mmCIF file of all heavy atoms in Angstrom:
data_model
loop_
_atom_site.group_PDB
_atom_site.id
_atom_site.type_symbol
_atom_site.label_atom_id
_atom_site.label_comp_id
_atom_site.label_asym_id
_atom_site.label_seq_id
_atom_site.Cartn_x
_atom_site.Cartn_y
_atom_site.Cartn_z
ATOM 1 N N GLY A 132 -33.735 -1.378 -1.274
ATOM 2 C CA GLY A 132 -33.716 -0.556 -0.067
ATOM 3 C C GLY A 132 -32.733 -1.093 0.965
ATOM 4 O O GLY A 132 -32.003 -0.325 1.605
ATOM 5 N N GLN A 133 -32.711 -2.414 1.127
ATOM 6 C CA GLN A 133 -31.764 -3.022 2.063
ATOM 7 C C GLN A 133 -30.322 -2.764 1.622
ATOM 8 O O GLN A 133 -29.461 -2.458 2.450
ATOM 9 C CB GLN A 133 -32.008 -4.530 2.158
ATOM 10 C CG GLN A 133 -33.275 -4.909 2.883
ATOM 11 C CD GLN A 133 -33.444 -6.418 2.906
ATOM 12 O OE1 GLN A 133 -32.515 -7.155 3.182
ATOM 13 N NE2 GLN A 133 -34.663 -6.869 2.603
ATOM 14 N N LEU A 134 -30.073 -2.885 0.318
ATOM 15 C CA LEU A 134 -28.724 -2.662 -0.198
ATOM 16 C C LEU A 134 -28.304 -1.206 0.015
ATOM 17 O O LEU A 134 -27.173 -0.941 0.423
ATOM 18 C CB LEU A 134 -28.637 -3.037 -1.676
ATOM 19 C CG LEU A 134 -27.247 -2.928 -2.299
ATOM 20 C CD1 LEU A 134 -26.256 -3.842 -1.593
ATOM 21 C CD2 LEU A 134 -27.305 -3.266 -3.780
ATOM 22 N N LYS A 135 -29.214 -0.277 -0.234
ATOM 23 C CA LYS A 135 -28.905 1.141 -0.008
ATOM 24 C C LYS A 135 -28.557 1.383 1.455
ATOM 25 O O LYS A 135 -27.617 2.103 1.771
ATOM 26 C CB LYS A 135 -30.089 2.027 -0.414
ATOM 27 C CG LYS A 135 -30.171 2.325 -1.863
ATOM 28 C CD LYS A 135 -31.309 3.289 -2.134
ATOM 29 C CE LYS A 135 -31.406 3.643 -3.589
ATOM 30 N NZ LYS A 135 -32.494 4.578 -3.864
ATOM 31 N N SER A 136 -29.326 0.786 2.339
ATOM 32 C CA SER A 136 -29.073 0.943 3.771
ATOM 33 C C SER A 136 -27.717 0.369 4.157
ATOM 34 O O SER A 136 -26.942 1.002 4.889
ATOM 35 C CB SER A 136 -30.189 0.249 4.561
ATOM 36 O OG SER A 136 -29.902 0.267 5.935
ATOM 37 N N ILE A 137 -27.411 -0.807 3.654
ATOM 38 C CA ILE A 137 -26.118 -1.439 3.950
ATOM 39 C C ILE A 137 -24.978 -0.605 3.388
ATOM 40 O O ILE A 137 -23.952 -0.406 4.052
ATOM 41 C CB ILE A 137 -26.078 -2.885 3.407
ATOM 42 C CG1 ILE A 137 -27.020 -3.778 4.220
ATOM 43 C CG2 ILE A 137 -24.653 -3.443 3.432
ATOM 44 C CD1 ILE A 137 -27.233 -5.161 3.628
ATOM 45 N N GLU A 138 -25.144 -0.088 2.173
ATOM 46 C CA GLU A 138 -24.095 0.732 1.566
ATOM 47 C C GLU A 138 -23.851 1.995 2.391
ATOM 48 O O GLU A 138 -22.706 2.422 2.557
ATOM 49 C CB GLU A 138 -24.444 1.095 0.125
ATOM 50 C CG GLU A 138 -24.397 -0.075 -0.839
ATOM 51 C CD GLU A 138 -23.015 -0.697 -0.989
ATOM 52 O OE1 GLU A 138 -21.996 0.009 -0.862
ATOM 53 O OE2 GLU A 138 -22.948 -1.911 -1.227
ATOM 54 N N SER A 139 -24.911 2.573 2.927
ATOM 55 C CA SER A 139 -24.769 3.757 3.774
ATOM 56 C C SER A 139 -24.024 3.414 5.066
ATOM 57 O O SER A 139 -23.118 4.138 5.492
ATOM 58 C CB SER A 139 -26.151 4.326 4.090
ATOM 59 O OG SER A 139 -26.048 5.400 4.981
ATOM 60 N N GLU A 140 -24.406 2.305 5.686
ATOM 61 C CA GLU A 140 -23.722 1.863 6.905
ATOM 62 C C GLU A 140 -22.269 1.518 6.622
ATOM 63 O O GLU A 140 -21.374 1.812 7.429
ATOM 64 C CB GLU A 140 -24.443 0.652 7.502
ATOM 65 C CG GLU A 140 -25.823 0.978 8.033
ATOM 66 C CD GLU A 140 -26.660 -0.255 8.350
ATOM 67 O OE1 GLU A 140 -26.316 -1.366 7.884
ATOM 68 O OE2 GLU A 140 -27.646 -0.121 9.073
ATOM 69 N N LEU A 141 -22.029 0.924 5.480
ATOM 70 C CA LEU A 141 -20.672 0.561 5.085
ATOM 71 C C LEU A 141 -19.816 1.813 4.884
ATOM 72 O O LEU A 141 -18.652 1.857 5.305
ATOM 73 C CB LEU A 141 -20.716 -0.278 3.808
ATOM 74 C CG LEU A 141 -19.430 -0.912 3.315
ATOM 75 C CD1 LEU A 141 -18.776 -1.763 4.388
ATOM 76 C CD2 LEU A 141 -19.716 -1.773 2.090
ATOM 77 N N ALA A 142 -20.389 2.824 4.278
ATOM 78 C CA ALA A 142 -19.659 4.084 4.088
ATOM 79 C C ALA A 142 -19.280 4.691 5.438
ATOM 80 O O ALA A 142 -18.153 5.163 5.623
ATOM 81 C CB ALA A 142 -20.503 5.066 3.277
ATOM 82 N N ASN A 143 -20.206 4.659 6.391
ATOM 83 C CA ASN A 143 -19.907 5.190 7.726
ATOM 84 C C ASN A 143 -18.837 4.363 8.427
ATOM 85 O O ASN A 143 -17.970 4.909 9.109
ATOM 86 C CB ASN A 143 -21.175 5.254 8.577
ATOM 87 C CG ASN A 143 -22.112 6.339 8.119
ATOM 88 O OD1 ASN A 143 -21.685 7.347 7.561
ATOM 89 N ND2 ASN A 143 -23.392 6.151 8.330
ATOM 90 N N ALA A 144 -18.888 3.046 8.265
ATOM 91 C CA ALA A 144 -17.873 2.179 8.874
ATOM 92 C C ALA A 144 -16.498 2.447 8.254
ATOM 93 O O ALA A 144 -15.485 2.445 8.962
ATOM 94 C CB ALA A 144 -18.260 0.707 8.704
ATOM 95 N N ARG A 145 -16.462 2.705 6.956
ATOM 96 C CA ARG A 145 -15.189 3.030 6.304
ATOM 97 C C ARG A 145 -14.643 4.351 6.829
ATOM 98 O O ARG A 145 -13.437 4.496 7.065
ATOM 99 C CB ARG A 145 -15.376 3.133 4.795
ATOM 100 C CG ARG A 145 -15.577 1.826 4.113
ATOM 101 C CD ARG A 145 -15.773 2.066 2.630
ATOM 102 N NE ARG A 145 -16.177 0.873 1.946
ATOM 103 C CZ ARG A 145 -17.022 0.848 0.936
ATOM 104 N NH1 ARG A 145 -17.549 1.963 0.473
ATOM 105 N NH2 ARG A 145 -17.331 -0.288 0.364
ATOM 106 N N LYS A 146 -15.516 5.339 6.997
ATOM 107 C CA LYS A 146 -15.078 6.635 7.533
ATOM 108 C C LYS A 146 -14.497 6.458 8.933
ATOM 109 O O LYS A 146 -13.456 7.028 9.255
ATOM 110 C CB LYS A 146 -16.256 7.618 7.599
ATOM 111 C CG LYS A 146 -16.685 8.171 6.283
ATOM 112 C CD LYS A 146 -17.812 9.157 6.510
ATOM 113 C CE LYS A 146 -18.741 9.215 5.358
ATOM 114 N NZ LYS A 146 -19.923 10.050 5.610
ATOM 115 N N TYR A 147 -15.175 5.675 9.759
ATOM 116 C CA TYR A 147 -14.687 5.436 11.114
ATOM 117 C C TYR A 147 -13.342 4.728 11.084
ATOM 118 O O TYR A 147 -12.416 5.087 11.814
ATOM 119 C CB TYR A 147 -15.712 4.635 11.922
ATOM 120 C CG TYR A 147 -15.235 4.297 13.308
ATOM 121 C CD1 TYR A 147 -15.100 5.302 14.266
ATOM 122 C CD2 TYR A 147 -14.898 2.999 13.659
ATOM 123 C CE1 TYR A 147 -14.635 5.015 15.541
ATOM 124 C CE2 TYR A 147 -14.432 2.701 14.931
ATOM 125 C CZ TYR A 147 -14.305 3.703 15.865
ATOM 126 O OH TYR A 147 -13.841 3.408 17.123
ATOM 127 N N PHE A 148 -13.214 3.716 10.224
ATOM 128 C CA PHE A 148 -11.945 2.993 10.091
ATOM 129 C C PHE A 148 -10.827 3.953 9.696
ATOM 130 O O PHE A 148 -9.752 3.948 10.298
ATOM 131 C CB PHE A 148 -12.077 1.866 9.060
ATOM 132 C CG PHE A 148 -10.765 1.196 8.747
ATOM 133 C CD1 PHE A 148 -10.198 0.301 9.635
ATOM 134 C CD2 PHE A 148 -10.098 1.471 7.556
ATOM 135 C CE1 PHE A 148 -8.983 -0.318 9.354
ATOM 136 C CE2 PHE A 148 -8.888 0.855 7.271
ATOM 137 C CZ PHE A 148 -8.326 -0.035 8.166
ATOM 138 N N ASN A 149 -11.078 4.777 8.682
ATOM 139 C CA ASN A 149 -10.047 5.714 8.237
ATOM 140 C C ASN A 149 -9.675 6.715 9.327
ATOM 141 O O ASN A 149 -8.514 7.096 9.455
ATOM 142 C CB ASN A 149 -10.476 6.427 6.956
ATOM 143 C CG ASN A 149 -10.329 5.550 5.726
ATOM 144 O OD1 ASN A 149 -9.660 4.521 5.757
ATOM 145 N ND2 ASN A 149 -10.975 5.936 4.651
ATOM 146 N N ALA A 150 -10.650 7.129 10.131
ATOM 147 C CA ALA A 150 -10.355 8.044 11.242
ATOM 148 C C ALA A 150 -9.469 7.362 12.282
ATOM 149 O O ALA A 150 -8.516 7.966 12.790
ATOM 150 C CB ALA A 150 -11.652 8.534 11.885
ATOM 151 N N THR A 151 -9.755 6.097 12.584
ATOM 152 C CA THR A 151 -8.923 5.396 13.564
ATOM 153 C C THR A 151 -7.531 5.130 12.994
ATOM 154 O O THR A 151 -6.544 5.210 13.733
ATOM 155 C CB THR A 151 -9.566 4.069 14.030
ATOM 156 O OG1 THR A 151 -9.734 3.191 12.932
ATOM 157 C CG2 THR A 151 -10.885 4.310 14.738
ATOM 158 N N VAL A 152 -7.443 4.842 11.701
ATOM 159 C CA VAL A 152 -6.133 4.636 11.069
ATOM 160 C C VAL A 152 -5.333 5.935 11.114
ATOM 161 O O VAL A 152 -4.137 5.928 11.438
ATOM 162 C CB VAL A 152 -6.282 4.125 9.614
ATOM 163 C CG1 VAL A 152 -4.979 4.246 8.840
ATOM 164 C CG2 VAL A 152 -6.760 2.685 9.620
ATOM 165 N N GLN A 153 -5.983 7.048 10.821
ATOM 166 C CA GLN A 153 -5.282 8.337 10.860
ATOM 167 C C GLN A 153 -4.759 8.616 12.269
ATOM 168 O O GLN A 153 -3.608 9.020 12.443
ATOM 169 C CB GLN A 153 -6.212 9.464 10.418
ATOM 170 C CG GLN A 153 -5.553 10.830 10.478
ATOM 171 C CD GLN A 153 -6.496 11.963 10.163
ATOM 172 O OE1 GLN A 153 -7.705 11.803 10.204
ATOM 173 N NE2 GLN A 153 -5.956 13.112 9.864
ATOM 174 N N HIS A 154 -5.581 8.386 13.261
ATOM 175 C CA HIS A 154 -5.185 8.604 14.650
ATOM 176 C C HIS A 154 -4.007 7.696 15.020
ATOM 177 O O HIS A 154 -3.021 8.153 15.609
ATOM 178 C CB HIS A 154 -6.390 8.347 15.570
ATOM 179 C CG HIS A 154 -6.163 8.729 16.981
ATOM 180 N ND1 HIS A 154 -6.020 10.031 17.393
ATOM 181 C CD2 HIS A 154 -6.044 7.970 18.098
ATOM 182 C CE1 HIS A 154 -5.820 10.055 18.683
ATOM 183 N NE2 HIS A 154 -5.827 8.814 19.146
ATOM 184 N N PHE A 155 -4.108 6.421 14.668
ATOM 185 C CA PHE A 155 -3.049 5.452 14.965
ATOM 186 C C PHE A 155 -1.748 5.840 14.256
ATOM 187 O O PHE A 155 -0.676 5.884 14.882
ATOM 188 C CB PHE A 155 -3.489 4.048 14.530
ATOM 189 C CG PHE A 155 -2.440 2.992 14.708
ATOM 190 C CD1 PHE A 155 -2.187 2.453 15.959
ATOM 191 C CD2 PHE A 155 -1.697 2.542 13.633
ATOM 192 C CE1 PHE A 155 -1.212 1.486 16.133
ATOM 193 C CE2 PHE A 155 -0.720 1.578 13.792
ATOM 194 C CZ PHE A 155 -0.475 1.049 15.047
ATOM 195 N N ASN A 156 -1.835 6.121 12.950
ATOM 196 C CA ASN A 156 -0.633 6.472 12.185
ATOM 197 C C ASN A 156 0.030 7.734 12.718
ATOM 198 O O ASN A 156 1.262 7.828 12.757
ATOM 199 C CB ASN A 156 -0.970 6.634 10.701
ATOM 200 C CG ASN A 156 -1.263 5.315 10.018
ATOM 201 O OD1 ASN A 156 -0.976 4.245 10.547
ATOM 202 N ND2 ASN A 156 -1.854 5.387 8.842
ATOM 203 N N THR A 157 -0.766 8.693 13.146
ATOM 204 C CA THR A 157 -0.214 9.921 13.726
ATOM 205 C C THR A 157 0.507 9.611 15.031
ATOM 206 O O THR A 157 1.632 10.058 15.252
ATOM 207 C CB THR A 157 -1.332 10.953 13.965
ATOM 208 O OG1 THR A 157 -1.965 11.243 12.718
ATOM 209 C CG2 THR A 157 -0.781 12.229 14.558
ATOM 210 N N LYS A 158 -0.134 8.845 15.880
ATOM 211 C CA LYS A 158 0.460 8.524 17.190
ATOM 212 C C LYS A 158 1.792 7.802 17.059
ATOM 213 O O LYS A 158 2.731 8.114 17.793
ATOM 214 C CB LYS A 158 -0.496 7.651 18.019
ATOM 215 C CG LYS A 158 -1.618 8.416 18.644
ATOM 216 C CD LYS A 158 -1.080 9.327 19.719
ATOM 217 C CE LYS A 158 -2.215 10.011 20.427
ATOM 218 N NZ LYS A 158 -1.741 11.008 21.367
ATOM 219 N N ILE A 159 1.882 6.834 16.141
ATOM 220 C CA ILE A 159 3.121 6.055 16.063
ATOM 221 C C ILE A 159 4.264 6.839 15.429
ATOM 222 O O ILE A 159 5.412 6.413 15.507
ATOM 223 C CB ILE A 159 2.933 4.704 15.317
ATOM 224 C CG1 ILE A 159 2.619 4.900 13.848
ATOM 225 C CG2 ILE A 159 1.903 3.852 16.020
ATOM 226 C CD1 ILE A 159 2.672 3.624 13.029
ATOM 227 N N ARG A 160 3.960 7.985 14.837
ATOM 228 C CA ARG A 160 5.012 8.776 14.194
ATOM 229 C C ARG A 160 5.446 9.974 15.021
ATOM 230 O O ARG A 160 6.465 10.593 14.721
ATOM 231 C CB ARG A 160 4.531 9.227 12.820
ATOM 232 C CG ARG A 160 4.291 8.000 11.917
ATOM 233 C CD ARG A 160 4.018 8.340 10.504
ATOM 234 N NE ARG A 160 5.225 8.870 9.890
ATOM 235 C CZ ARG A 160 5.213 9.690 8.856
ATOM 236 N NH1 ARG A 160 4.078 10.057 8.326
ATOM 237 N NH2 ARG A 160 6.327 10.144 8.339
ATOM 238 N N LEU A 161 4.683 10.341 16.039
ATOM 239 C CA LEU A 161 5.038 11.495 16.862
ATOM 240 C C LEU A 161 6.114 11.125 17.876
ATOM 241 O O LEU A 161 6.053 10.072 18.509
ATOM 242 C CB LEU A 161 3.804 12.027 17.592
ATOM 243 C CG LEU A 161 2.735 12.689 16.732
ATOM 244 C CD1 LEU A 161 1.532 13.069 17.579
ATOM 245 C CD2 LEU A 161 3.293 13.916 16.026
ATOM 246 N N PHE A 162 7.076 12.015 18.049
ATOM 247 C CA PHE A 162 8.120 11.810 19.041
ATOM 248 C C PHE A 162 7.588 12.275 20.390
ATOM 249 O O PHE A 162 6.893 13.276 20.449
ATOM 250 C CB PHE A 162 9.371 12.618 18.651
ATOM 251 C CG PHE A 162 10.515 12.411 19.585
ATOM 252 C CD1 PHE A 162 11.327 11.310 19.467
ATOM 253 C CD2 PHE A 162 10.760 13.321 20.595
ATOM 254 C CE1 PHE A 162 12.380 11.110 20.335
ATOM 255 C CE2 PHE A 162 11.804 13.124 21.468
ATOM 256 C CZ PHE A 162 12.621 12.014 21.339
ATOM 257 N N PRO A 163 7.835 11.612 21.450
ATOM 258 C CA PRO A 163 8.683 10.462 21.726
ATOM 259 C C PRO A 163 7.937 9.123 21.642
ATOM 260 O O PRO A 163 8.540 8.073 21.831
ATOM 261 C CB PRO A 163 9.183 10.718 23.136
ATOM 262 C CG PRO A 163 8.059 11.438 23.802
ATOM 263 C CD PRO A 163 7.420 12.265 22.715
ATOM 264 N N THR A 164 6.637 9.170 21.327
ATOM 265 C CA THR A 164 5.865 7.932 21.229
ATOM 266 C C THR A 164 6.420 7.014 20.148
ATOM 267 O O THR A 164 6.325 5.794 20.252
ATOM 268 C CB THR A 164 4.379 8.261 20.936
ATOM 269 O OG1 THR A 164 3.913 9.168 21.926
ATOM 270 C CG2 THR A 164 3.507 7.028 20.950
ATOM 271 N N SER A 165 7.021 7.606 19.120
ATOM 272 C CA SER A 165 7.581 6.805 18.029
ATOM 273 C C SER A 165 8.663 5.842 18.521
ATOM 274 O O SER A 165 8.891 4.794 17.914
ATOM 275 C CB SER A 165 8.139 7.718 16.940
ATOM 276 O OG SER A 165 9.175 8.529 17.463
ATOM 277 N N ILE A 166 9.311 6.176 19.618
ATOM 278 C CA ILE A 166 10.340 5.286 20.185
ATOM 279 C C ILE A 166 9.690 3.974 20.630
ATOM 280 O O ILE A 166 10.155 2.892 20.288
ATOM 281 C CB ILE A 166 11.052 5.963 21.373
ATOM 282 C CG1 ILE A 166 11.810 7.197 20.889
ATOM 283 C CG2 ILE A 166 11.987 4.981 22.080
ATOM 284 C CD1 ILE A 166 12.315 8.091 22.008
ATOM 285 N N ILE A 167 8.610 4.094 21.379
ATOM 286 C CA ILE A 167 7.902 2.907 21.861
ATOM 287 C C ILE A 167 7.289 2.153 20.675
ATOM 288 O O ILE A 167 7.328 0.930 20.616
ATOM 289 C CB ILE A 167 6.809 3.282 22.887
ATOM 290 C CG1 ILE A 167 7.399 4.064 24.061
ATOM 291 C CG2 ILE A 167 6.058 2.055 23.365
ATOM 292 C CD1 ILE A 167 8.419 3.314 24.873
ATOM 293 N N ALA A 168 6.742 2.895 19.697
ATOM 294 C CA ALA A 168 6.139 2.263 18.515
ATOM 295 C C ALA A 168 7.175 1.456 17.740
ATOM 296 O O ALA A 168 6.875 0.358 17.262
ATOM 297 C CB ALA A 168 5.505 3.318 17.623
ATOM 298 N N SER A 169 8.380 1.971 17.624
ATOM 299 C CA SER A 169 9.414 1.223 16.896
ATOM 300 C C SER A 169 9.851 -0.008 17.686
ATOM 301 O O SER A 169 10.137 -1.052 17.100
ATOM 302 C CB SER A 169 10.596 2.108 16.554
ATOM 303 O OG SER A 169 11.289 2.496 17.721
ATOM 304 N N ILE A 170 9.879 0.092 18.995
ATOM 305 C CA ILE A 170 10.195 -1.075 19.822
ATOM 306 C C ILE A 170 9.128 -2.147 19.647
ATOM 307 O O ILE A 170 9.427 -3.336 19.602
ATOM 308 C CB ILE A 170 10.332 -0.670 21.310
ATOM 309 C CG1 ILE A 170 11.586 0.192 21.512
ATOM 310 C CG2 ILE A 170 10.377 -1.897 22.221
ATOM 311 C CD1 ILE A 170 11.680 0.853 22.875
ATOM 312 N N MET A 171 7.867 -1.709 19.494
ATOM 313 C CA MET A 171 6.748 -2.643 19.305
ATOM 314 C C MET A 171 6.624 -3.097 17.847
ATOM 315 O O MET A 171 5.746 -3.879 17.523
ATOM 316 C CB MET A 171 5.434 -1.981 19.747
ATOM 317 C CG MET A 171 5.350 -1.684 21.227
ATOM 318 S SD MET A 171 3.863 -0.741 21.662
ATOM 319 C CE MET A 171 2.575 -1.911 21.246
ATOM 320 N N HIS A 172 7.459 -2.563 16.963
ATOM 321 C CA HIS A 172 7.442 -2.887 15.527
ATOM 322 C C HIS A 172 6.104 -2.523 14.879
ATOM 323 O O HIS A 172 5.597 -3.252 14.019
ATOM 324 C CB HIS A 172 7.760 -4.362 15.266
ATOM 325 C CG HIS A 172 9.057 -4.804 15.856
ATOM 326 N ND1 HIS A 172 10.264 -4.398 15.354
ATOM 327 C CD2 HIS A 172 9.328 -5.595 16.925
ATOM 328 C CE1 HIS A 172 11.232 -4.922 16.086
ATOM 329 N NE2 HIS A 172 10.703 -5.646 17.049
ATOM 330 N N LEU A 173 5.529 -1.396 15.277
ATOM 331 C CA LEU A 173 4.269 -0.937 14.694
ATOM 332 C C LEU A 173 4.554 -0.191 13.396
ATOM 333 O O LEU A 173 5.489 0.594 13.308
ATOM 334 C CB LEU A 173 3.521 -0.027 15.671
ATOM 335 C CG LEU A 173 3.108 -0.664 16.990
ATOM 336 C CD1 LEU A 173 2.444 0.365 17.897
ATOM 337 C CD2 LEU A 173 2.181 -1.838 16.753
ATOM 338 N N LYS A 174 3.755 -0.456 12.396
ATOM 339 C CA LYS A 174 3.896 0.169 11.073
ATOM 340 C C LYS A 174 2.627 0.941 10.747
ATOM 341 O O LYS A 174 1.550 0.660 11.276
ATOM 342 C CB LYS A 174 4.115 -0.905 10.001
ATOM 343 C CG LYS A 174 5.285 -1.822 10.256
ATOM 344 C CD LYS A 174 6.567 -1.186 9.810
ATOM 345 C CE LYS A 174 7.695 -2.200 9.890
ATOM 346 N NZ LYS A 174 8.794 -1.771 10.683
ATOM 347 N N LYS A 175 2.779 1.892 9.819
ATOM 348 C CA LYS A 175 1.607 2.633 9.353
ATOM 349 C C LYS A 175 0.603 1.668 8.742
ATOM 350 O O LYS A 175 0.980 0.725 8.050
ATOM 351 C CB LYS A 175 2.012 3.668 8.300
ATOM 352 C CG LYS A 175 2.608 4.916 8.866
ATOM 353 C CD LYS A 175 2.955 5.904 7.769
ATOM 354 C CE LYS A 175 1.705 6.412 7.104
ATOM 355 N NZ LYS A 175 1.953 7.459 6.115
ATOM 356 N N LEU A 176 -0.666 1.896 8.999
ATOM 357 C CA LEU A 176 -1.735 1.071 8.437
ATOM 358 C C LEU A 176 -2.302 1.752 7.196
ATOM 359 O O LEU A 176 -2.321 2.979 7.106
ATOM 360 C CB LEU A 176 -2.842 0.875 9.478
ATOM 361 C CG LEU A 176 -2.433 0.122 10.733
ATOM 362 C CD1 LEU A 176 -3.562 0.143 11.756
ATOM 363 C CD2 LEU A 176 -2.059 -1.310 10.399
ATOM 364 N N PRO A 177 -2.799 0.969 6.233
ATOM 365 C CA PRO A 177 -3.372 1.573 5.017
ATOM 366 C C PRO A 177 -4.789 2.097 5.272
ATOM 367 O O PRO A 177 -5.527 1.547 6.076
ATOM 368 C CB PRO A 177 -3.396 0.406 4.029
ATOM 369 C CG PRO A 177 -3.538 -0.805 4.895
ATOM 370 C CD PRO A 177 -2.781 -0.493 6.161
ATOM 371 N N TYR A 178 -5.112 3.153 4.561
ATOM 372 C CA TYR A 178 -6.471 3.676 4.590
ATOM 373 C C TYR A 178 -7.344 2.859 3.658
ATOM 374 O O TYR A 178 -6.862 2.204 2.745
ATOM 375 C CB TYR A 178 -6.497 5.142 4.131
ATOM 376 C CG TYR A 178 -5.901 6.097 5.124
ATOM 377 C CD1 TYR A 178 -4.608 6.572 4.966
ATOM 378 C CD2 TYR A 178 -6.634 6.539 6.213
ATOM 379 C CE1 TYR A 178 -4.054 7.456 5.873
ATOM 380 C CE2 TYR A 178 -6.094 7.425 7.125
ATOM 381 C CZ TYR A 178 -4.802 7.883 6.952
ATOM 382 O OH TYR A 178 -4.260 8.749 7.856
#
Side-chain angles (χ1 to χ4, degrees):
Q133 289 179 45
L134 184 60
K135 278 184 179 180
S136 174
I137 290 170
E138 290 297 329
S139 176
E140 293 168 344
L141 188 55
N143 289 332
R145 287 179 189 144
K146 286 182 210 174
Y147 177 70
F148 173 76
N149 283 345
T151 61
V152 165
Q153 178 185 18
H154 189 68
F155 176 78
N156 288 346
T157 301
K158 282 292 185 186
I159 67 170
R160 297 189 69 206
L161 291 176
F162 183 81
T164 306
S165 61
I166 296 168
I167 304 298
S169 67
I170 291 169
M171 294 174 65
H172 304 289
L173 298 177
K174 304 278 188 236
K175 281 181 67 175
L176 297 173
Y178 288 100

